[in-house]
Structure formats: C-alpha cells, structure tokens
Amino acid sequence: MERSRIVVIASILAALGAILPMLAAYYLSWSIAVRGEQARLARLADYAIMRADAALGEASRALKTADRFDMPPCMATHIAALRSLVVNTTAIEDIGYFENGLLRCTSWGYPPRRLTRSPPADFFASNGVEVIPRMYPTISTGAPMTAFRYRSYTVLTNPVRFVDVIAEPGTRLAVATKNGVLVSTLNDPDPSLTERLADLPKTGSNADDLFATSRDANWIAVATAPSIAILSDMDRERLLLLPGGALVAALMVGLVVWLSRRRLSPLGELSIAVQRREFIVHYQPLIELKTGICVGAEALVRWRRPDGQMVRPDLFIPLAEENGLIEEITDQVLYATVAELKSVLVADRSLHIAINLAADDLKSGRILPVIETALRNTGVLTEQIWLEATERGFMDVKSARATIEEARRRGHSVAIDDFGTGYSSLQYLQELPLDALKIDKSFIDTVGTDSATSSITPHIIDIAKSLDLYIVAEGIERQEQADYLIERGVQYGQGWLFSKALPAAEFIAFYNDSKRRLGAGPAVIRREIA
Ligand code: C2E
Ligand code: MG
Ligand code: MG
C-alpha cells in the first residue's frame, strides 16, 4: 500500500479511535441514565397501584361491614353507623345505601334529589365488589370519584389518593382500571400514552417522554418523565464515564499511530513483505570465460512492492539479517528458484543455480533439510544447487564448517562470495572445504587501472589458485577485464558484459541460446577434497 494511503487510513482510524469510545461512553451513560429513570418511574407506578389496591381493600371492608348492618335502613342509627364507617377509614369519602335502584340515604343524610343507580361497573374485583371508575358525588360538586359497589351499598373514594406521591415536577402519573378506563392522573400525562394504557409495554419512550407501567389484577398505572430530565442525571454518569472513554480513545489513537508507524517503518514493511511473499528472483548467468558458455546462474532476490516498485537487495538484506527475517527470505528464494527453473534443470544436468546464504543460514544449517524438501519429487539434483556464503558467514567458523561439510556431503558445491571485502582468515580458507571463490566486483573494477587495489587482484587470483579453488570473477563489465581474467586462468565470470540478472523466462532463453550456439558446459564444477 502507498504511504499516502496508509497515512490517510491511519488518520481516519485515529479519528474514529478518538470519537468512537467517546460516543460509546456517551451512549453508555445515556442508557444507564435511561434505565435508572425507568426504574424510578416503575417504582412510582407500582406505588400508585398499591394505593389503588389499598383503597379497594378499605372500600371492600366498609361495604361488607355495612352489608351486615341490621338496623332499619336510613334511620338515624343507620346513617350514624355509615358516617362512623366513613370517618374511620382514610380512603372513603362517602357511602350510600340504594334500594330498588334509587339512592335512599348516604353517610351525610338524605340525597337532595332523586338519584338512580348508575353508571355501570367497569369490572368486578375478585371479592365480588364492583368497580365504577368515575362517579360524581351527590353532596360535593367536586371531581369525579371512583366508586365501589356491593349489593345495596356504594362507596366513593377520591382517586387523587392513588396518585398522591411526592414526585419531581416533570413526573406524571396515571392510574386506570385493568380495562384501561382512566381513574386518576397527576400532572396531566400525555394522552397518547394514557389512551392506550392497556397495551403499553413495561417500559418505553415516546417523542418526549420515558415511561414505565405497572399492572396487577385490578389496575394499570403509568408513570412518565420528560427525556430531557435525564440529561441532568447524565452529568453525573458522564463525569464517571467520559474520562474512561477519553482514556480508551487515547489508547486507540496510540495504538493506531503505533501500528501505522510500525507499518511505515522499513522493518514493518519488510515483515509484511515476508508474510505476503513479495519477493521474486532474477538470475544472473554465470559464464565459462574461455568459451563464453553459460554454465549456471546466481539467484538474486528482488523485493517487488505491491505498487510494482523494485527494491534492491542491498537495501533490505542487511535489515532482514539484523532482524531474523533472512532465513524466511532464503526459503522463498529457494522455492521460487526450484519452481521457475525446475524443468530446465531437469533437462540439463550441467546447469547449476547458486543460492546466496546469509550468516544465519550458515550458522544454523537449517537450510540444508529445507533444500532437500524443496527438491523432493522435482528431479532436480542436489549437485545442481550451489551455495554462496560471504566471509561474514565464517565468523562462527565451527558451525560454518559443520554446515559446509554437510552441504558438500549432500552434493552441493559451496563458494565463498565477495572474497576480499570482509574479514578473511587465510587459515580458515585453507581449512574449509570450499569449491569456489568469487572475487568481489571491487577488485575486478580496478583491472586495467592503476589504482592501489589493482595490484591486489593478481594476488587474490593466486591465493585461489594455490588453494586449488575454482575462481569466479564478479561484475565484469568490459571485454578488457574478461581478457585479463582469462589470461590469468580465471575460469568463470559474471557481469553486465555478459548479462544482467534476468527474470526466469529471459534467463532460460539466454541459456538455451548459449547452449545452441556454444554447447553445454562441464557437467559438474566441484573440487575433489580428500
Ligand atoms: P552478490 O551475491 O555479490 O551478487 C552480485 C551483485 O552484483 C548483484 O547485485 C548483481 O546484480 C551485481 N552485479 C553483477 N554483475 C554486475 C556488473 O557487471 N555490474 C554491476 N554494477 N553490478 C553487477 P544485487 O542483485 O543487487 O545483489 C546485491 C547483493 O545482495 C548480493 O551480492 C548479495 O550479497 C545480496 N543478495 C542478493 N540476493 C540474495 C539472496 O537471495 N540472499 C541473500 N542472503 N543475499 C542476497
Ligand atoms: Mg552472491
Ligand atoms: Mg558477490
């Protein structure tokens, strides 16, 4: 992915990382406040139902007591007894005695006018008492009363008591019979709620209000409060939650910044490239200098980024070596090489491919069984895979020696790469069972010049000869260099004079062309070591 895109995406993620936790904290504090408010409203509604049931209970007891009176109806003693009942109960305002559908007397005396027994009951409570939601009393001209009727007696209660609670100003309350007929309200609740009380859910909200309902066998109550009111509650919740949200937001932003930095860092990008197998291999032909025949190639890794850009190995190999990614890259090069060149290697046993090993590969020796697995069932011979190790790989000479010996035992040829540029001990050179020595390009560059290093080149060639190693000269760019090397008995060379590193198909074409024109090279390039 391009850097600019990563930066844009990371910024968006960071912004989201900052906003989302705050929104989540806000939402959480909102829903906590809503739940708290609905619980408060539910308690109020329960309380109203309790009051209505208490009134029903008191009225029922009074009605049944009156029903058992044995004094003559509507005589002074009867009226006094009724009045005593009213005075001794809190909920009852009045009690009337009916005969043949007409009100004969009440706890206050005789009715001022003829009153028939109406209206009809809304329902019967389980104890047989009828409930009449709204009845207008004969004496006081006040608000409608809720009446309870049993046989000849009717009791009036003031339903205002049902909703007689101390509540915050915005809180509204309504009590209805179980059939939804409104009995009493406090603070004029929203008609859109009270009209459909019978089928309201337990809690909910409408445009402006939150509500909670409560119901039992006789009554339904709803308590409502404006949603706005909970914003003040939220101040407290926010005080607790927002710092948490801000902390999470900060952590998220930090995480996004860290991840994008990691992604944008060279090492981060390289690790992702290893995971995504973004490496490809080019092959630089190895030429027998005397004849010009192509005898093999060196596999050289390239990092092809998703945008097509190619990264040179000297820009990422050191980073991979320092951070433990190199062995994975070596494996990818090996597998790509086998896949791409398998058929030409099988068709022509005199062809070999050299793989560059890093110090870690040489130290662990892990690469050898990996090669064995990669070659299994391909028909490619171990002898066709050369290994190149730089002098850096020989720092731990004991393990390098073990790996090289095992490699040769398996049939690989081993070359020392970039000879002359690093830490070399001639003694090690003598001791290690190597097949070839690759003279670094910097020495070949000086051929034909009169620089100080130019005088070293013949000595390096002599050292290789005296160690009986095959010699490969790297980076031959001019014919004059090739001529010089041939004259000095250097057998093999690589360089732009012959070819740059080529993609597999182009290398195969180059190789086939060389073979057609000049024939195949020697079958094996391998030193006999006693
Ligand atoms: P090296 O193994 O010494 O590879 C030879 C380098 O010299 C290659 O560079 C090659 O393209 C370049 N070269 C060859 N002929 C000429 C020439 O005539 N003129 C010039 N100017 N350059 C020439 P490249 O491919 O950039 O590789 C650089 C180094 O990266 C390699 O040096 C090797 O040390 C390392 N490398 C490349 N591929 C791998 C790999 O698969 N594994 C490991 N561990 N290292 C690798
Ligand atoms: Mg090399
Ligand atoms: Mg080299």
Coordinates of all heavy atoms in Angstrom, one line a residue, residues 435-471:
D435 N 34.5 -25.0 -2.7 CA 34.7 -25.4 -4.1 C 35.2 -24.2 -4.9 O 36.0 -24.4 -5.9 CB 33.4 -25.9 -4.7 CG 33.0 -27.2 -4.1 OD1 33.5 -28.3 -4.4 OD2 32.1 -27.1 -3.2
A436 N 34.7 -23.0 -4.6 CA 35.0 -21.9 -5.5 C 35.1 -20.6 -4.7 O 34.6 -20.5 -3.6 CB 33.9 -21.7 -6.5
L437 N 35.8 -19.7 -5.3 CA 36.0 -18.4 -4.6 C 35.5 -17.3 -5.6 O 35.8 -17.3 -6.8 CB 37.5 -18.2 -4.3 CG 38.0 -17.0 -3.7 CD1 39.2 -17.3 -2.9 CD2 38.2 -15.8 -4.7
K438 N 34.6 -16.4 -5.2 CA 34.1 -15.4 -6.0 C 34.8 -14.1 -5.7 O 34.7 -13.6 -4.5 CB 32.6 -15.2 -5.9 CG 31.8 -16.4 -6.4 CD 30.3 -16.2 -6.3 CE 29.8 -15.5 -7.5 NZ 28.3 -15.5 -7.6
I439 N 35.6 -13.6 -6.6 CA 36.3 -12.3 -6.4 C 35.4 -11.2 -6.5 O 34.6 -11.1 -7.5 CB 37.5 -12.1 -7.4 CG1 38.4 -13.4 -7.4 CG2 38.3 -10.9 -7.1 CD1 39.4 -13.3 -8.5
D440 N 35.4 -10.3 -5.5 CA 34.4 -9.3 -5.4 C 34.6 -8.3 -6.6 O 35.7 -8.1 -7.1 CB 34.5 -8.5 -4.1 CG 33.3 -7.5 -3.9 OD1 32.2 -8.0 -3.8 OD2 33.6 -6.3 -4.0
K441 N 33.5 -7.7 -7.0 CA 33.4 -6.8 -8.1 C 34.5 -5.6 -7.9 O 35.1 -5.1 -8.9 CB 32.0 -6.2 -8.2 CG 31.9 -5.2 -9.3 CD 30.4 -4.7 -9.4 CE 30.2 -3.7 -10.5 NZ 30.9 -2.4 -10.2
S442 N 34.7 -5.2 -6.6 CA 35.5 -4.0 -6.4 C 37.0 -4.3 -7.0 O 37.7 -3.4 -7.4 CB 35.6 -3.6 -5.0 OG 35.9 -4.8 -4.2
F443 N 37.4 -5.6 -6.9 CA 38.7 -5.9 -7.4 C 38.7 -6.0 -9.0 O 39.7 -5.6 -9.6 CB 39.2 -7.2 -6.8 CG 39.4 -7.1 -5.3 CD1 38.4 -7.7 -4.5 CD2 40.4 -6.4 -4.8 CE1 38.5 -7.6 -3.1 CE2 40.5 -6.3 -3.4 CZ 39.6 -6.9 -2.6
I444 N 37.6 -6.5 -9.5 CA 37.5 -6.6 -11.0 C 37.5 -5.2 -11.6 O 38.1 -4.9 -12.6 CB 36.3 -7.4 -11.4 CG1 36.3 -8.8 -10.6 CG2 36.2 -7.6 -12.9 CD1 37.5 -9.6 -10.8
D445 N 36.8 -4.2 -10.9 CA 36.7 -2.9 -11.3 C 38.1 -2.2 -11.6 O 38.2 -1.4 -12.5 CB 36.0 -2.0 -10.3 CG 34.5 -2.2 -10.3 OD1 34.0 -2.8 -11.2 OD2 33.8 -1.8 -9.3
T446 N 39.1 -2.7 -10.8 CA 40.4 -2.0 -10.9 C 41.2 -2.6 -12.0 O 42.3 -2.0 -12.3 CB 41.1 -2.1 -9.6 OG1 41.4 -3.5 -9.4 CG2 40.4 -1.6 -8.4
V447 N 40.8 -3.6 -12.6 CA 41.6 -4.2 -13.7 C 41.8 -3.2 -14.8 O 40.8 -2.6 -15.3 CB 40.9 -5.5 -14.2 CG1 41.6 -6.0 -15.5 CG2 41.0 -6.6 -13.2
G448 N 43.0 -3.0 -15.2 CA 43.3 -2.1 -16.3 C 43.5 -0.7 -15.8 O 43.7 0.2 -16.6
T449 N 43.3 -0.4 -14.5 CA 43.5 0.9 -14.0 C 44.8 0.9 -13.2 O 45.4 -0.2 -12.9 CB 42.4 1.4 -13.0 OG1 42.4 0.5 -11.8 CG2 41.0 1.2 -13.7
D450 N 45.3 2.0 -12.7 CA 46.5 1.9 -11.9 C 46.2 2.3 -10.4 O 47.0 2.9 -9.7 CB 47.6 2.8 -12.5 CG 47.1 4.2 -12.9 OD1 46.0 4.5 -12.4 OD2 47.9 4.9 -13.5
S451 N 45.0 2.0 -10.0 CA 44.7 2.2 -8.6 C 45.4 1.2 -7.7 O 46.0 0.2 -8.2 CB 43.2 2.0 -8.3 OG 42.9 0.7 -8.2
A452 N 45.5 1.6 -6.4 CA 46.2 0.8 -5.4 C 45.7 -0.7 -5.4 O 46.5 -1.6 -5.3 CB 46.2 1.4 -4.0
T453 N 44.4 -0.8 -5.4 CA 43.8 -2.2 -5.3 C 44.1 -3.0 -6.5 O 44.1 -4.2 -6.4 CB 42.3 -2.1 -5.0 OG1 41.8 -1.0 -5.8 CG2 42.0 -2.0 -3.6
S454 N 44.4 -2.4 -7.6 CA 44.6 -3.2 -8.8 C 45.7 -4.2 -8.7 O 45.8 -5.2 -9.3 CB 44.8 -2.3 -10.0 OG 46.1 -1.7 -9.9
S455 N 46.7 -3.8 -7.8 CA 47.8 -4.7 -7.6 C 47.5 -5.9 -6.7 O 48.2 -6.9 -6.7 CB 49.0 -3.9 -7.0 OG 48.5 -3.4 -5.8
I456 N 46.3 -5.7 -6.0 CA 45.9 -6.9 -5.2 C 45.3 -8.0 -6.0 O 45.4 -9.2 -5.6 CB 44.9 -6.3 -4.1 CG1 45.6 -5.3 -3.2 CG2 44.4 -7.5 -3.2 CD1 44.7 -4.6 -2.3
T457 N 44.5 -7.6 -7.0 CA 43.7 -8.6 -7.8 C 44.6 -9.8 -8.2 O 44.1 -10.9 -8.0 CB 43.1 -7.9 -9.0 OG1 42.5 -6.6 -8.5 CG2 42.0 -8.7 -9.7
P458 N 45.8 -9.6 -8.8 CA 46.5 -10.9 -9.1 C 46.8 -11.7 -7.9 O 46.8 -13.0 -8.1 CB 47.8 -10.3 -9.8 CG 47.8 -8.9 -9.7 CD 46.4 -8.4 -9.2
H459 N 47.0 -11.1 -6.8 CA 47.3 -11.9 -5.6 C 46.1 -12.7 -5.1 O 46.3 -13.9 -4.7 CB 47.8 -11.0 -4.4 CG 49.0 -10.3 -4.7 ND1 50.2 -10.9 -4.9 CD2 49.3 -9.0 -4.8 CE1 51.2 -10.1 -5.2 NE2 50.6 -8.8 -5.2
I460 N 44.9 -12.1 -5.2 CA 43.7 -12.9 -4.9 C 43.6 -14.1 -5.8 O 43.3 -15.2 -5.4 CB 42.5 -11.9 -4.9 CG1 42.6 -10.9 -3.8 CG2 41.2 -12.7 -4.8 CD1 41.5 -9.9 -3.8
I461 N 43.9 -13.8 -7.1 CA 43.8 -14.9 -8.0 C 44.8 -16.0 -7.7 O 44.5 -17.2 -7.6 CB 44.0 -14.4 -9.5 CG1 42.9 -13.4 -9.9 CG2 44.1 -15.6 -10.5 CD1 43.1 -12.7 -11.2
D462 N 45.9 -15.6 -7.3 CA 47.0 -16.6 -6.9 C 46.6 -17.3 -5.7 O 46.8 -18.6 -5.6 CB 48.3 -15.8 -6.7 CG 48.9 -15.3 -8.0 OD1 48.5 -15.9 -9.1 OD2 49.8 -14.5 -8.0
I463 N 46.0 -16.6 -4.7 CA 45.6 -17.3 -3.5 C 44.6 -18.4 -3.8 O 44.7 -19.6 -3.4 CB 44.9 -16.3 -2.5 CG1 46.0 -15.4 -1.9 CG2 44.2 -17.1 -1.4 CD1 45.4 -14.3 -1.1
A464 N 43.6 -18.1 -4.7 CA 42.6 -19.0 -5.0 C 43.2 -20.2 -5.7 O 42.9 -21.4 -5.5 CB 41.5 -18.4 -5.9
K465 N 44.1 -19.9 -6.6 CA 44.8 -21.0 -7.4 C 45.6 -21.9 -6.4 O 45.5 -23.1 -6.5 CB 45.8 -20.4 -8.4 CG 45.1 -20.0 -9.7 CD 46.1 -19.5 -10.6 CE 45.6 -19.1 -12.0 NZ 46.6 -18.4 -12.7
S466 N 46.3 -21.2 -5.5 CA 47.1 -22.1 -4.6 C 46.2 -22.9 -3.7 O 46.6 -24.0 -3.2 CB 48.1 -21.2 -3.8 OG 47.3 -20.4 -2.9
L467 N 45.0 -22.4 -3.4 CA 44.1 -23.2 -2.6 C 43.3 -24.2 -3.5 O 42.5 -25.0 -3.0 CB 43.1 -22.3 -1.9 CG 43.7 -21.5 -0.8 CD1 42.6 -20.4 -0.3 CD2 44.1 -22.3 0.4
D468 N 43.6 -24.2 -4.7 CA 43.0 -25.1 -5.7 C 41.5 -24.9 -5.8 O 40.7 -25.9 -5.9 CB 43.3 -26.6 -5.2 CG 43.1 -27.6 -6.4 OD1 43.1 -27.1 -7.5 OD2 42.8 -28.7 -6.1
L469 N 41.1 -23.7 -5.7 CA 39.6 -23.4 -5.8 C 39.3 -22.9 -7.2 O 40.1 -22.3 -7.9 CB 39.3 -22.2 -4.8 CG 39.4 -22.5 -3.3 CD1 39.2 -21.2 -2.5 CD2 38.4 -23.6 -2.9
Y470 N 38.1 -23.2 -7.6 CA 37.6 -22.6 -8.8 C 37.4 -21.1 -8.6 O 37.1 -20.7 -7.5 CB 36.3 -23.2 -9.3 CG 36.4 -24.6 -9.8 CD1 36.1 -25.7 -9.0 CD2 36.8 -24.8 -11.1 CE1 36.2 -27.0 -9.5 CE2 36.9 -26.1 -11.6 CZ 36.6 -27.2 -10.8 OH 36.7 -28.4 -11.3
I471 N 37.6 -20.3 -9.6 CA 37.5 -18.9 -9.4 C 36.4 -18.3 -10.3 O 36.3 -18.6 -11.5 CB 38.8 -18.1 -9.8 CG1 40.0 -18.8 -9.1 CG2 38.8 -16.7 -9.4 CD1 41.4 -18.3 -9.6

